[in-house]
Amino acid sequence: MTSAHVETQPTDQDTPGSGRLAHAPSDHPPVARAKVGVLLANLGTPDATDYWSMRRYLSEFLSDKRVVDYASWKWQPLLQLIILSRRPFKSGEAYRSIWNTEKDESPLLTITREQTRKVAEGLAARFGDQVMVDFCMRYGNPSTDSVLRRMQAAGCERILFFPLYPQYASPTTATANDQAFRTLMTLKWQPAFRTVPAYFEHPRYIEALASSVREGYAAAETPPEVLVASYHGVPKRYLMEGDPYHCQCQKTTRLLREALGWEGEAIQTAFQSQFGPEEWVGPQTVEHVAELARQGRKHIAVVSPAFSSDCVETLEEIEEEIRDAFLAAGGETFTYIPCLNDRDDHIAALLAIIENELGGWVAPRP
């Protein structure tokens, strides 16, 4: 567990060092001293790349009604009997191509842990020992349930829950919140609970994104002619049913373009990771980059503003599948600009958001 806390000073209600309230009977259960918790939440990761690890992870992910909202009687037989008999092999291969072999874990887990460490250090510098910081995953480990229970047991009577998705979407932000609420429903003593809203238009997030693009362009072998902002896709009906994700992605691109001072066609929006038969928001990134190459745009860059951490969708799908589609269509140089990950300006943006959302719960130390 990553944390930025030390025990707070005892109050006149505490018995120092005992974990017991001063006037409680001798058989009263120990009570941890009160803390404020900050819990960062990311999408998730398989524990390993073998068939059964991948199957467990994919089953949890694809059984989520926020991700695939078809009727269970129709979807589960298809998922369990057909899709999960084949897909774990392909997904395992994709994960093996990006796996952090030194730590034997996915890059998403490595990066999220480092983000948490830096956020904890930043909050400790601002608030001293008043705040405890940890992270969880919606799918896989460390699970939302286990970390929330650990924080509550450690004395977190107030918890700020921060899904690390700049743009709100039902299959990302909402399902992360849902999972936290499921745990709260089972706790005898619920902490006060806040969720962090979408931060796609936060000035510090946009500036960190713009800085990463400037650095990517400066390091590129050949100056890119077009920047493609590639976001994870959602079915088009989600937009029709009121999910704001598509609109927030479009606004992110516009704000990024304005921060860079570019003209309209210099940055374009596309969507990746589509599956299934229904219509999804578009254009599809893999098709769009190929079309750019056919139009004579031989040098492009791709950035992923919807991902706070590099993961299989960026390191494998963009760096391999989408890159290959562009080069096969006649493109010459393809520059991938990494996610913001644990960049200092990204951490500063997260800290600014957290401090704002902690308002009234904890005061900066003198």
Side-chain angles (χ1 to χ4, degrees), residues 2-300:
T2 303
S3 64
H5 82 281
V6 179
E7 294 290 352
T8 54
Q9 293 299 312
T11 67
D12 58 1
Q13 296 181 358
D14 295 331
T15 300
S18 71
R20 187 179 298 126
L21 300 178
H23 302 291
S26 60
D27 62 348
H28 192 285
V31 177
R33 295 192 179 97
K35 305 175 185 68
V36 173
V38 174
L39 181 53
L40 308 180
N42 216 325
L43 178 71
T45 171
D47 295 324
T49 62
D50 62 277
Y51 173 83
W52 290 109
S53 296
M54 292 305 310
R55 183 174 179 121
R56 283 193 299 271
Y57 174 73
L58 291 171
S59 181
E60 183 181 12
F61 174 52
L62 295 174
S63 294
D64 185 351
K65 285 287 191 178
R66 292 283 194 178
V67 175
V68 181
D69 59 0
Y70 302 148
S72 294
W73 66 267
K74 182 186 302 183
W75 174 244
Q76 281 299 320
L78 177 63
L79 174 65
Q80 299 298 332
L81 298 177
I82 299 177
I83 296 174
L84 292 181
S85 67
R86 301 192 305 262
R87 186 160 178 171
F89 293 108
K90 182 178 180 181
S91 295
E93 183 180 352
Y95 271 95
R96 280 191 292 275
S97 72
I98 65 165
W99 201 249
N100 182 344
T101 54
E102 181 181 349
K103 294 181 178 291
D104 192 23
E105 63 188 25
S106 74
L108 177 69
L109 180 56
T110 304
I111 294 166
T112 305
R113 183 187 298 110
E114 187 62 12
Q115 289 171 328
T116 303
R117 183 187 70 79
K118 289 188 174 183
V119 166
E121 289 179 351
L123 290 176
R126 183 68 169 152
F127 298 108
D129 57 11
Q130 302 177 77
V131 177
M132 173 181 177
V133 182
D134 211 329
F135 74 94
C136 65
M137 299 293 179
R138 170 60 183 90
Y139 315 105
N141 296 303
S143 70
T144 303
D145 180 78
S146 66
V147 180
L148 267 178
R149 290 179 184 278
R150 185 164 67 223
M151 296 182 81
Q152 193 265 354
C156 291
E157 296 181 5
R158 305 179 185 206
I159 294 178
L160 178 68
F161 187 71
F162 193 168
L164 292 174
Y165 311 110
Q167 300 81 17
Y168 173 96
S170 172
T172 54
T173 310
T175 192
N177 290 338
D178 288 347
Q179 195 73 348
F181 298 148
R182 289 187 188 101
T183 295
L184 294 180
M185 290 171 65
T186 69
L187 295 179
K188 292 295 184 185
W189 184 359
Q190 285 184 337
F193 200 77
R194 292 176 179 173
T195 61
V196 176
Y199 57 97
F200 66 98
E201 55 187 347
H202 194 283
R204 290 201 177 186
Y205 161 71
I206 293 295
E207 185 49 43
L209 201 57
S211 293
S212 74
V213 171
R214 293 187 195 101
E215 292 170 14
Y217 270 51
E221 178 183 342
T222 303
E225 302 165 86
V226 176
L227 174 66
V228 176
S230 182
Y231 301 84
H232 198 289
V234 294
K236 187 174 182 179
R237 63 183 169 86
Y238 283 30
L239 170 63
M240 299 297 103
E241 292 169 355
D243 191 308
Y245 176 72
H246 180 266
C247 299
Q248 292 183 1
C249 291
Q250 297 288 353
K251 187 170 183 180
T252 302
T253 300
R254 176 176 64 80
L255 293 173
L256 175 58
R257 176 177 57 79
E258 292 172 356
L260 292 167
W262 290 359
E263 298 298 325
E265 288 302 306
I267 178 170
Q268 301 176 15
T269 298
F271 296 88
Q272 63 185 85
S273 308
Q274 303 176 27
F275 68 92
E278 64 181 305
E279 182 182 3
W280 284 49
V281 295
Q284 294 187 39
T285 304
V286 68
E287 296 177 356
H288 187 63
V289 298
E291 182 60 27
L292 286 173
R294 288 190 288 268
Q295 292 173 358
R297 306 293 184 89
K298 302 300 185 181
H299 312 284
I300 70 168

